[in-house]
Amino acid sequence: MTYPPGQASPGVHWELKRNLQKRDHMDITLNNGLSMPALGLGVFQSAPEETTAAVLTALNTGYRHIDTAAAYGNEREVGQGVRISGLDRSDIFIETKIWVSDYGHDRALHAWDKAVGKLGVEYVDLFILHQPAPDRFEKTIAAYKALEKLLADGRVKAIGVSNFMPHHLEQLLDATDVIPAVNQIELHPYFTQPEVQAADAEHGILTQAWSPIGGITFYPGWGGEDRRNVMQDPAIAAVAQAHGKTPAQVMLRWHLQQGRSAIPKSIHPGRIAENFDVFDFELSEAEIAVINALHSGVRSGPDPDEAREERFALVIPEA
Ligand SMILES: NC(=O)c1ccc[n+]([C@@H]2O[C@H](COP(=O)([O-])OP(=O)(O)OC[C@H]3O[C@@H](n4cnc5c(N)ncnc54)[C@H](OP(=O)(O)O)[C@@H]3O)[C@@H](O)[C@H]2O)c1
């Protein structure tokens, strides 16, 4: 599906209007009063040539929140999807992330120029640090101070972090003024990070789940032979069957009912729709407890405390 920049097909406009009227969704108010749709579309590993169509499909389905990152290499295509959707910019919540090679105060300010240049927008709704740089934490702090300046200047509406453990949060809070609105972390039934969720809650930081349907437990090229695919978990399958829903829908409902934001990724229209069709059923406390009990304590993604030098080799191109 390709659309010329700046135009949408009449069909897309019509669908959007229809969906705007029947827009089922759930908003979360962040600690600075900003409203954010709880469920968003993730685009990590969405190839640039697939991203615009995925974003358009999501917006057409009713999503109003997209999560991207400088490091994903598809901010430009996200912006294209937003523009050709025909929706008002103010109706779409755009979240993006600064990569570690752009940490430090001035580099982080320039990372904003690069992000808005690629996205083709005047402001970013939520701008976050992609991960702590544990071996260069002073640069992480300096980058966050740049986020504070962008916030004060009205160039971003909220700021936050990702992959911060409680001790990273403590170090950050000691050195800065604005409490992050969001901490985006690996969170699916097999790895729920209760200690990070507790630290977030203590400070009024919203926990946002990445790999909310467990992508990191099954996408190709990650993890060892012994990893378990949460999408195939029998306990989740049983809950799904009881509600006539899919495992992905049950996991997303599990996040939402516990007050978290979730940003499932898909490039397939059927799955994009499936992942948004989660507002017409409710899990019981017992079902939530069953899913919470699946927590293994074993992380599938990278350890945020591991200083991996190769991350700094990724240079984020100019807009
Ligand atoms: N801050 C960070 O460090 C960080 C790290 C990882 C991810 N993230 C963010 O979080 C988002 C989501 O995480 P994620 O992409 O790792 O994992 P995820 O959303 O949990 O799962 C995505 C995987 O599940 C498949 N999928 C999607 N919907 C499905 C469904 N209904 N049934 C079966 N399979 C389905 C997708 O394939 P298809 O696309 O082929 O459908 C993809 O392989 C990312 O896109 C990114 O925005 C952030």
Side-chain angles (χ1 to χ4, degrees), residues 191-265:
F191 191 60
T192 59
Q193 309 215 55
E195 65 299 339
V196 182
Q197 292 199 60
D200 287 348
E202 184 191 335
H203 297 294
I205 301 167
L206 176 74
T207 300
Q208 183 176 56
W210 69 251
S211 272
I213 55 174
I216 189 98
T217 70
F218 59 82
Y219 48 59
W222 292 69
E225 296 283 297
D226 55 344
R227 71 179 172 167
R228 290 184 303 143
N229 177 346
V230 71
M231 195 69 89
Q232 291 169 355
D233 188 275
I236 296 174
V239 175
Q241 200 180 14
H243 289 276
K245 288 285 181 180
T246 65
Q249 290 170 326
V250 164
M251 286 189 262
L252 292 169
R253 193 71 213 176
W254 169 74
H255 289 293
L256 296 176
Q257 281 185 229
Q258 293 180 101
R260 295 190 290 271
S261 169
I263 42 169
K265 173 262 178 185

Side-chain angles (χ1 to χ4, degrees), residues 40-46 66-69 72 97 99 128-131 161-163 184-188 209-220 222 231 246-249 252 262-268 270-272 274-275 302:
L41 177 78
V43 296
F44 175 44
Q45 302 188 108
S46 302
I66 312 292
D67 175 71
T68 182
Y72 300 168
K97 317 182 189 82
W99 186 241
I128 67 178
L129 300 184
H130 205 137
Q131 46 188 256
V161 295
S162 176
N163 298 302
Q184 185 184 116
I185 57 169
E186 179 185 344
L187 210 170
H188 46 76
W210 69 251
S211 272
I213 55 174
I216 189 98
T217 70
F218 59 82
Y219 48 59
W222 292 69
M231 195 69 89
T246 65
Q249 290 170 326
L252 292 169
I263 42 169
K265 173 262 178 185
S266 182
I267 53 162
H268 294 103
R271 288 175 171 176
I272 291 172
E274 175 187 329
N275 296 344

Side-chain angles (χ1 to χ4, degrees), residues 26-105:
M26 192 180 281
D27 283 342
I28 295 186
T29 304
L30 303 177
N31 63 12
N32 68 350
L34 187 69
S35 191
M36 181 182 87
L39 197 58
L41 177 78
V43 296
F44 175 44
Q45 302 188 108
S46 302
E49 62 279 12
E50 294 162 337
T51 302
T52 301
V55 168
L56 267 176
T57 302
L59 294 174
N60 198 28
T61 303
Y63 290 71
R64 291 293 179 268
H65 174 178
I66 312 292
D67 175 71
T68 182
Y72 300 168
N74 55 20
E75 287 173 310
R76 207 176 295 282
E77 290 74 16
V78 166
Q80 204 173 10
V82 165
R83 254 187 324 282
I84 64 183
S85 75
L87 285 165
D88 284 346
R89 166 70 186 91
S90 59
D91 283 334
I92 304 175
F93 192 100
I94 300 179
E95 174 174 1
T96 191
K97 317 182 189 82
I98 305 186
W99 186 241
V100 287
S101 56
D102 277 333
Y103 286 2
H105 188 268

Side-chain angles (χ1 to χ4, degrees), residues 143-153 159 175-179:
Y144 192 81
K145 288 187 172 169
L147 293 188
E148 291 182 320
K149 174 161 172 45
L150 292 168
L151 182 68
D153 292 348
I159 59 176
T176 59
D177 296 324
V178 178
I179 296 178

